[in-house]
Amino acid sequence: MYSPTTKIIDIGRRPIDDYVFEAIVSFQEGIDNIILKGRGDFISRAIDVYWALKDRLGNSIELLDIEIGSERVRGRMRSYIALKIMRKY
């Protein structure tokens, strides 16, 4: 049975192009789904990474789901956004 693989890319301080490159390489290595996850101040940066990836790959990717919420990180509650992206064949 075929099961899709998923990779989580945590968005932080690195340049946006680094995350775009990491996502493209992951797709080329056979990863089917990527989750771009931005916490706190990096929520808007995660969205910027998605749009840069969409500009680069166009219709070969699809936004499957957007999840927003909060989670405990090092004893503090932190807001996050998770964008689930699928590679289309």
Side-chain angles (χ1 to χ4, degrees), residues 11 37-46 69-71 73 76-81:
I11 306 300
K37 191 166 190 178
R39 293 182 186 88
D41 294 337
F42 302 113
I43 289 173
S44 63
R45 194 169 185 84
S70 58
E71 61 189 5
V73 177
R76 291 182 42 195
M77 293 302 287
R78 300 284 292 180
S79 299
Y80 72 87
I81 189 168

Side-chain angles (χ1 to χ4, degrees), residues 17 20-21 24 51-58 60:
D17 286 340
V20 171
F21 180 72
I24 290 170
W51 284 112
L53 190 60
K54 184 73 171 170
D55 286 344
R56 197 62 96 64
L57 298 179
S60 65

Side-chain angles (χ1 to χ4, degrees), residues 27-46:
F27 283 140
Q28 290 175 344
E29 290 176 345
I31 302 293
D32 296 313
N33 296 315
I34 290 178
I35 297 174
L36 301 174
K37 191 166 190 178
R39 293 182 186 88
D41 294 337
F42 302 113
I43 289 173
S44 63
R45 194 169 185 84

